[in-house]
Amino acid sequence: MSTAVPGTEASSASYADGTWGERDVGAPVSHRMAMEDYEEMRKELTHLTKTHSQQSGKGEAQGLFRTLTNKSRKSESATAQRARAKSTTRSFSETDTDLEAGDAEGMAEKEEEFELGPFIKEGHFEKRTETGDSAKKVGVTFKNLTVKGVVSTANYVRTLPNAVLGTFGPDLYRILCSFIPALRFGAHPPLRTLTNDFTGLVRDGEMMLVLGRPGSGCTTFLKAIANQRGDFAQVTGEVTYGGIPAHKQHAHYRGEVNYNPEDDQHFPTLDVWQTLKFSLLNKTKRREKGEINIIIQALLKMFGISHTSKTLVGNELVRGISGGERKRVSIAETLATKSTVVCWDNSTRGLDASTALDYANSLRIMTDISNRTTLVTLYQAGEGIYALMDKVLLIDEGRMIYQGPAKKAKQYMIDLGFHCPERETTADFLTSVTDPKQRIVREGYEAKAPRTAEEFEKVYRNSETYRRVLADVEDYEKRLAETDYQDAREFKQSVKEQQSKRVSTKSSFTVSYSRQVLACTRREFWLVWGDKPTLWTKIFIIISNGLIVGSLFYGQSSDTDSAFSRGGTAFFSILFLGWLQLSELMKAVGGRAVIARHREYAFYRPSAVSMARVIADFPLILVQVILFAIIMYFMTNLDRDVSKFFIYALFVYVSTINITALYRMFAALSPTIDDAVRFSGTALNLLIVYTGYVIAKPTLVSQKIWFGWLYYVNPISYSFEAVLGNEFYKRQMACSPEQLIPQGPGVQPQYQGCAISGAQLGSNTVSDISTRSHLWRNFGVVIAWTVLYILVTAIASELFTFVAGGGGALVFKKGAKKQSASANNRSSDEEKAGDPGDSSASSQQTRTNSPNDDAILQSSANESIFTWTDVNYSVPYQGGQRQLLTDVHGYAKAGIMVALMGVSGAGKTTLLNTLSQRQRIGVVSGEMLVDGRPLGPEFQRGTGFVEQMDLHDMTATIRESIEFSAVLRQNRHIPKSEKLAYVDEIIDLLELGELQDALISSLGVEQRKRVTIAVELAARPQLLFLDEPTSGLDSQSAYSIVRFLNKLTRAGHGIICTIHQPSSLLIQQFDMILALNPNGQTFYFGPVGDNGSAVIKYFADRGVHCPPQKNVAEFILETAAKGGKRADGKRLNWNDEWRRSSENAALLSEIQQINEQRSKLPAPKAETQHEFASPVWLQITMLTRRMFIQHWRSPSYLYGKIFVAVIIGIFNGFTFWQLGNTVADLQDAMFTCFLIVLIPPTVVNAVVPKFYQNLALWEAREHPSRIYNWVAFSTASVVTEIPASIVTSVIYWLLWYYATGLPTDSSTAGYVFLMTMLFFFFQASWGQWITAFAPSFTVISNVLPFFFVMFSLFCGVIRPYNMLSVFWRYWLYYLVPSTYWIGGVMAAVLPSRTVTCAPQEAARFNPPPGQTCAQYAGAFVQSINRGYLTNPSATADCGYCQYANGAEYIASLNVSAKDKWPYFGIFLGFVISNWALVYFFIYTCHIRRWGFGFGYVFGGLGRLVDWMEERILRVVRRGKKI
C-alpha cells in the first residue's frame, strides 16, 4: 500500500533552495542547470580561497555553507537567469563580463578566477588541472579479456542428515578448501567461459551501456572491469586504467575503481546527510575537513535531494526516503569517493520510467562534471536513457557481438538483417536480437542473418566497427605512450595529494587508520541515535529488569541468612547486561554488505569498524551500567561502602564489555546469524555453569575433572570472584537465628555453632569470608580476555566477509530426476540461475504452444464481470485522515486486460489491494460488485493476486507450491486427481517442466514470477490481479510475462495489472489503461488503441500531442506530471478534465448497464459458496506436511535444536558426573535439574523467527487468498514442533540423566523423562504464542528477556521461597511454570537420597562440660525434625548436618515428595495452555485484530519518549549557546 507522505506547501520555498539541476522540487534533473549550479559552487569555493588566510577553516566552511544554503535561483532576476543560461559554455571571465559588465565587483570576480586552480588542486572537491580538466581522468582499456567460472551441475537440497553428518568433518573440509585450495584433492571442476576475448576502450568522460539478457555476462564484465575478481575461477587478458595495470590498481588504488551493485546497501538508520558525511570523512585530509559540509551541500543540490538531508535512508523494514532518492544517495556516495571508474549494475530495478530517466541523467552529470569513466547495465532502458550513452557493448552468451557508438548500434543490427518494430526502444531492440524467440529477421535475410552467439561474434570481428574499436584502442595507447602516461602520472599524483601524511603511498586508503576508527566511531553513535526506538526500549528493559531482579533480592539481611543470595546478586549483576547485549549479534552480522562495499571503496579497513564498536561501547555501556548498578546495588542492600560500590560497578562494566566482545567475535567467525546465535548462546550457557556460582570453585577445579578446567578460561569467573570477594571483604556477619545450632531452652550462646560453611567452632559470627587479594589480578585477566576477543574479531573481519557474491545454482529436492543440460549448465561464479533476473533457463527453452493450451486456460475462465464505482480509501494520518483513493470507477471482465499506471505514490498498489479486499486499516467506501451483486464470501478465494514480492515457502519446489494451491483452492467437489492433472497442464503451459523439482529459493526473478502466476492460476481464478509483474526483469522476460497474460486474457480471464517502465511493445499488449495521479485520482480510463491511438486522441483533443516515436506509456506519465496548457493559456488539471469528460460519463453509463444486465442472471446458491474451498481437515494435513518438509529442508533450524540439546546435555551431565550424598551434592542435584532453563533462550530464539516467517507468509498471501484458515495454521504450527521436541528431549535426557547418577529406577527415570519431554514441548509452544501475541518482531525481541527473567529467577531455586519478598511470593511464584517443573523433578529424584555431610559442611559446636553431643543437642534435632548429629557420643567438637535426607532438603525449598504428580499435572496444563494460547492469539490478534490496549500503551510511551527527546535537545542547545 502506498504510504508516501507529500511535503507541505509551506516548506516548498526552502526546498527550492536545496535543488541542483532541478527547476522545481522533485522535477527531473536538468543537465544544463546542474552544470550552471556547479560553476556557481566553484565561484563560492574561489571566494573561500581568497579569504583562506583571514579566517579559520571552521568559520569559512560555515560561511560558505550559509551562502550555498541561502542562495536561491528564484531570487535572481529573469535577466540574470537568461544571461547565465546563455553563458554556460563560456569561460569564467566571459560569464562575469556578461553578467556584470563594467562593474568593479565583476572585475574582482574575474581576478579571483586565477585562484580557483590552486584551491581545486588542494582537493576540496576534486583535483583539477590548470586547463580545468579533472586530474584523475583515466580511460579503461581491456584487451583479450576472458573470464571463466566453475560449472555447477544441479545441487540437491541440504537436509537434516547432511547437516548432522557434515559436523564430523565434511563441512570443516569445505571451509578449509575455500581458503586453501591446495587441500582439495580429486579432479578439478570444469570451467565455463563467462566472457570471451573482449577488447575495447572507454575513455574518460564517456558512458558505456552494457546490454544483454540475464546470464549473458553483463555482471561478469562489469566486475572484471571493476577489478573484483574474487568470484571467478580464472581471469585472463589485460585491463589497464590509463596505463596502470589491474594488479597495481587493486594494490594501491582500489578505491578509484568501483562496482555498484543493483541493490542500494546503506545503513538504514543513518540519515542522508550522515551517510554522505561519513563517506567524505574517510576521503578528506584533516586540514580540508572544514569543506566537507560544502561538498555535501553541493552533492545534495546536484541530485535534487536537499530536502531529504535529515531523513533516514531506510530500507525494506525501516521507513525512509523513496527508492529513487535512495538511488541518488548511492550515486552521491560514489561521487564522494572521488573514484575515477564506476560500474553500475542494473541500478534502475524497481523504478518507474520517469525516476529511471532522472537516475540516468544523474549519471550523465556525474560523468561530465568529473570526467569519470562510467559503465552501466540497465534493464528496460527507455529511449531517453539510451540517448545519454556514448557507447554500447552488447553481449550474447558471454560473447561480444557489438561494441561501438551508441547512435550506430541500431543501424548495425538492421544491416545484419534484423527488423526493429515501430516504437520499440533501441536498447530493447538490441537485446531482442540475442533472443531467438524475440528477434525478427528482415525479409530476404533469412539465410544471411547470424543466429548463434558464435556467428554474431564472428560477423562482428570481421566488421569495420570492430576494426575501428581496435584502432581506437591502439590510438589511445599510442597517445598515452606519446605523453609518457601523463594522465596516469597526474592520477597518481592526485591520489597521493589526497592522502593524509600518515598514510603510506602504497596504501589504497585516504586517511590514517586512527581517523578511520574515529569516523566509524562517529557513525556508530549516529546509528544508535538514529534507531531511537531500540535505544529507548533497551533503556526501559534495563531499568525495569533491574527493578525486577533487584526486588527479587530486595532488602537482604546482614546476617548469614543472606550469604548465598548475595552470591546470586553478584552473579546476576555480572551476567545480566551481557545477556541483553545479544542484540549486538544482529548489528554485527546485518551490516556486512555495507562494510564490504565500503572496503572496496577504500573508505576504511573492516577492522576499523570492530575497533569503533568497542570505543562506542565505552560510553554506551557505561550509561547502562550506571542505571543498572545503582538500582541493583541499593535495592539488594549490598555493603554500603563507597569503594565497594565503585569496584562492583567497575567489574559489572568490564564484564559487560567482555561478553559483548565475545559475541562480536562469534559474529565475525559465523557465516550466518543463526550460527552466531547458536555459538553465542552456547558460550553464554557455559559461562554461566562454570562461573563458580552454580558449583563452588573448590569443587569445580578439584572434583569436576571433565570440564572443571573451563573455570580458568572463563573471564566471568574472575569477575564473579572479584565481586564476591569485594562484597564479603572485611565483613563480619552474625549467624542467622535459624542457623544457630542448637536452639531451645537451656542452650548457652558460647556453646552454639553456625550452620554455614566457613563458620568457626563455637562462634556465632562469621568473618574473614573473603579477601581482595586477587581483585586486581582478576581485573587484568578480564581485560586480557577482552583484548583477545577484540583482536580475534578484528583479524577475522579482515580475513572473512561472508558476503555472497550473487546467487547460486539451481537446487533440487532429493530424489528429483536428472535435469537437462539447459537447466543445469550453470556457473557457480557470477552468471547463474540464482542471479536476480536470470531467465536463461527459460529463455533457452524453445517451446511451441500446445494445441490445447487455450483449452486449458478456457477451462478455468469465468464470465463474471467485476465493477467498482466511487471507490475511496483513507487512512489515519497525524491525527486526521489522508485520502489515498478518490472516486475511482472502472470494471474488469473476461477478455480484457487493464494496465494500472501512475507515478510513484499515485496509489496503484493501494487500489489493487482495495479492489482485491486486502486492506486491513483505514476506511474504504464505494460500490464493488460482481455481476451486479455484492461480493460473496468466495470472492477472495476466487480471485488470484500476484504479489510484487513473490511470496512463497522458499523450501518448497515449484510443483509442490502449485499443487498446494490447486488442491486447497479449487472447488471441493473437484476430484484430487483432476486437480493434479490441471497442475501438470499449468506447469507445461508456463514452461516450468524442467524446473518443477527445483526449490523456489534458488530461482531467478523471472522464473519466480512465473511460479507466482502459476500458483494463482492453479486456483482457477475468475479474476487475476497482478502487482508489478515485470519489476526487476529484463525487456525480454517482461515481454514474455505480459505476452502470457495476454494469452490468459484471450482465453477468457479478466486481468488488472500495475506496471512500471512499460515499453511501447508492452503497452500494446493491454486493452485498457487506468491512469492515476497522486491521491488516487483518475485522469484516464479507456482503451489503448492501435499503437496507442485512443490514448493519443484523448490528450490531443485537449491540446497535448504525443510525438510520433514517443512511448505512449511514458507520454501519459509525463503529461500528467507536467500538466500542460489550453489554447487560452490556462493550465490543465487532468483530474478535473477526466471528471468532466464525455469518456467518464460513458464509463459510468457502461458500468450501470453492466450491473443491470448481469444482476438478472441467476444468483449462485448460498450452500455452494464457501470462504475456503477445502474442508479444514484437508487444510491441516496439507499444511502440516508442507511444514514438516520445510523443517527438513531447513537443517539449520532442527540442527540448532539438536546442537543445543547435545551440548547442554553433555556439559550438564559430565559436569555433575555421578553425584554423591553430601549437602553440596544435594545442591548440585538441584542445579543439574535447574540448568535445563539454559535451553529456552537459544531454542525460543530459533522458534520465534521460524514461526514469524510462516505467520508473515500466511498473513500477507495465503490467508487473503483464502488458501487455509487460522485453525489449520495454528494446528500445523503446533504439530510440526512435536517430533523435534521428542527427539531433542530424548537426546538431552540420555546425555544428562544417567551421567549425573540420579536414581535409575524405572519409575523415577521415566517420570523425569516425561517431564523433560513436556519441557521441550513447552519451550517450542512458548515461543509460538509470544510471537502470535506481539505486534512486531522488535517487540518480540524486547519482550523475551522479561519472560526469561521471570522463568529463571522466580521458581524458588535462585532465591528460596521463604526468602522471596511478599510482593512476589504469593502470586508470581505460583504463576511461573518452571516452579512446577523444578519442583516435580526434585520431588522425584531427591527424597530417597540419604545425606552424609562432608566434614566442612557440618555446623561445629562444643557441648557444655560433662555432656555428650546427643545429650546437649539431641532434643533440638528431634524438635526441628531435620538433620542429624554426626558424632552424637562425642563430648567435644560436635557436628550437626542440617539435612538427613533429600526430603528434608527439598522441604526447605517449599517442595515435598507428594508434589510429584500434582506438579506433573500442573506443568502439563501449562503445556496445553501454551498450545491453546497459540490458537487464541492467532485468532484474536490476526483475525479479529484485537490490540488488547497495547496501542494506547505504546502510543503513550512514544509520546513520553518524544517529550524526553525534546527536553534533551533543549538542554543541548542551551549548552551550545553558552
Side-chain angles (χ1 to χ4, degrees), residues 57-271:
K58 181 177 179 180
E60 67 192 45
Q62 291 176 342
L64 180 53
F65 175 74
R66 197 178 303 112
T67 303
L68 279 171
T69 305
N70 295 334
K71 182 177 284 293
S72 172
R73 180 177 290 107
K74 291 185 178 181
S75 66
E76 295 181 276
S77 66
T79 304
Q81 289 187 27
R82 285 194 297 270
R84 187 178 62 179
K86 291 178 182 178
S87 61
T88 302
T89 58
R90 300 177 185 176
S91 67
F92 302 144
S93 57
E94 290 174 335
T95 304
D96 292 333
T97 302
D98 288 340
L99 293 174
E100 308 286 349
D103 194 338
E105 184 178 348
M107 294 301 294
E109 288 188 11
K110 182 177 178 180
E111 292 176 359
E112 289 172 8
E113 301 304 330
F114 295 103
E115 299 180 25
L116 178 61
F119 182 85
I120 298 295
K121 187 173 288 188
E122 291 176 6
H124 292 282
F125 186 69
E126 64 176 2
K127 186 180 176 184
R128 294 260 163 173
T129 64
E130 294 181 359
T131 59
D133 294 329
S134 173
K136 292 202 310 179
K137 55 177 185 178
V138 294
V140 178
T141 59
F142 46 97
K143 298 169 68 175
N144 308 116
L145 178 63
T146 299
V147 180
K148 294 186 178 182
V150 178
V151 173
S152 174
T153 56
N155 295 325
Y156 289 106
V157 62
R158 181 179 170 90
T159 57
L160 181 62
N162 301 122
V164 174
L165 293 175
T167 305
F168 302 99
D171 288 348
L172 179 61
Y173 172 72
R174 279 192 290 268
I175 293 172
L176 290 175
C177 287
S178 64
F179 293 103
I180 312 174
L183 294 177
R184 186 178 285 111
F185 57 85
H188 290 281
L191 300 182
R192 173 194 174 207
T193 300
L194 303 178
T195 61
N196 181 62
D197 197 19
F198 283 18
T199 298
L201 165 68
V202 187
R203 296 176 183 268
D204 56 277
E206 287 186 342
M207 292 181 67
M208 172 182 277
L209 177 63
V210 182
L211 293 176
R213 290 182 295 161
S216 62
C218 297
T219 297
T220 299
F221 174 71
L222 291 184
K223 283 198 168 186
I225 293 297
N227 227 356
Q228 294 190 15
R229 305 183 176 189
D231 295 329
F232 309 122
Q234 185 183 96
V235 179
T236 59
E238 180 184 345
V239 180
T240 60
Y241 308 89
I244 301 172
H247 67 277
K248 286 189 177 180
Q249 182 277 328
H250 190 266
H252 307 307
Y253 311 104
R254 186 173 65 220
E256 298 298 328
V257 179
N258 291 330
Y259 167 79
N260 191 288
E262 60 180 305
D263 295 324
D264 296 301
Q265 297 284 351
H266 300 283
F267 284 106
T269 55
L270 292 182
D271 62 37

Side-chain angles (χ1 to χ4, degrees), residues 328-385:
R328 298 186 189 192
V329 171
S330 296
I331 302 171
E333 183 186 54
T334 305
L335 181 55
T337 67
K338 305 174 184 178
S339 56
T340 311
V341 180
V342 191
C343 300
W344 305 88
D345 191 2
N346 191 22
S347 298
T348 59
R349 179 181 178 184
L351 299 183
D352 59 62
S354 175
T355 308
L357 181 58
D358 284 349
Y359 167 75
N361 267 320
S362 300
L363 285 184
R364 183 76 259 180
I365 294 168
M366 182 178 73
T367 304
D368 289 343
I369 288 179
S370 305
N371 286 88
R372 298 294 194 257
T373 305
T374 303
L375 296 91
V376 57
T377 178
L378 301 174
Y379 290 161
Q380 303 185 46
E383 200 63 36
I385 295 176

Side-chain angles (χ1 to χ4, degrees), residues 113 413 505 584 824 1212 1340 1492:
E113 301 304 330
M413 289 301 172
T505 56
E584 291 297 313
N824 293 341
N1212 194 1
I1340 297 169
F1492 294 97

Side-chain angles (χ1 to χ4, degrees), residues 508-714:
S508 297
F509 300 100
T510 303
V511 299
S512 64
Y513 187 77
S514 59
R515 289 217 22 227
Q516 295 173 28
V517 172
L518 289 175
C520 291
T521 303
R522 178 183 288 193
R523 184 178 66 180
E524 288 300 314
F525 286 116
W526 286 341
L527 288 170
V528 170
W529 190 246
D531 190 11
K532 286 190 282 290
T534 299
L535 175 64
W536 291 115
T537 302
K538 194 167 189 176
I539 291 175
F540 172 76
I541 289 173
I542 290 169
I543 294 175
S544 57
N545 275 326
L547 292 171
I548 292 172
V549 179
S551 67
L552 178 69
F553 299 100
Y554 175 71
Q556 298 175 106
S557 63
S558 58
D559 56 26
T560 57
D561 196 33
S562 66
F564 181 75
S565 63
R566 286 179 187 274
T569 304
F571 178 72
F572 282 98
S573 296
I574 290 167
L575 278 173
F576 189 77
L577 290 178
W579 183 30
L580 290 183
Q581 289 294 97
L582 268 172
S583 60
E584 291 297 313
L585 287 174
M586 185 59 73
K587 294 181 182 178
V589 175
R592 283 175 174 171
V594 180
I595 293 172
R597 182 166 57 83
H598 286 176
R599 181 184 190 177
E600 294 300 326
Y601 284 0
F603 281 171
Y604 50 80
R605 290 185 174 278
S607 59
V609 180
S610 303
M611 295 300 175
R613 285 171 174 163
V614 174
I615 294 172
D617 281 342
F618 292 150
L620 295 174
I621 292 179
L622 180 62
V623 173
Q624 299 176 32
V625 168
I626 290 172
L627 293 173
F628 183 77
I630 291 175
I631 294 172
M632 277 292 293
Y633 197 88
F634 295 102
M635 280 193 72
T636 58
N637 197 29
L638 296 182
D639 200 4
R640 305 291 176 83
D641 181 277
V642 174
S643 67
K644 286 188 175 183
F645 171 76
F646 282 108
I647 290 173
Y648 165 86
L650 175 66
F651 274 93
V652 172
Y653 181 61
V654 296
S655 299
T656 306
I657 292 177
N658 176 273
I659 296 174
T660 305
L662 177 67
Y663 292 156
R664 291 209 183 105
M665 182 184 73
F666 283 118
L669 295 169
S670 301
T672 66
I673 183 64
D674 290 335
D675 298 318
V677 169
R678 184 190 312 143
F679 294 132
S680 298
T682 304
L684 180 62
N685 290 337
L686 297 182
L687 294 181
I688 291 172
V689 174
Y690 299 101
T691 299
Y693 171 69
V694 175
I695 306 174
K697 175 184 176 181
T699 305
L700 198 60
V701 299
S702 62
Q703 299 180 22
K704 306 301 179 182
I705 58 173
W706 295 99
F707 300 112
W709 56 271
L710 288 172
Y711 175 87
Y712 293 108
V713 296
N714 180 0

Side-chain angles (χ1 to χ4, degrees), residues 1395-1453:
V1395 178
T1396 303
C1397 263
Q1400 69 274 12
E1401 293 175 339
R1404 295 292 170 183
F1405 61 92
N1406 285 319
Q1411 295 187 31
T1412 64
C1413 296
Q1415 291 172 341
Y1416 178 62
F1420 163 74
V1421 173
Q1422 289 180 357
S1423 66
I1424 64 172
N1425 195 26
R1426 190 185 71 215
Y1428 67 94
L1429 294 172
T1430 60
N1431 50 352
S1433 58
T1435 58
D1437 194 16
C1438 299
Y1440 170 73
C1441 187
Q1442 54 186 324
Y1443 303 114
N1445 53 56
E1448 295 177 357
Y1449 174 72
I1450 62 175
S1452 68
L1453 299 174

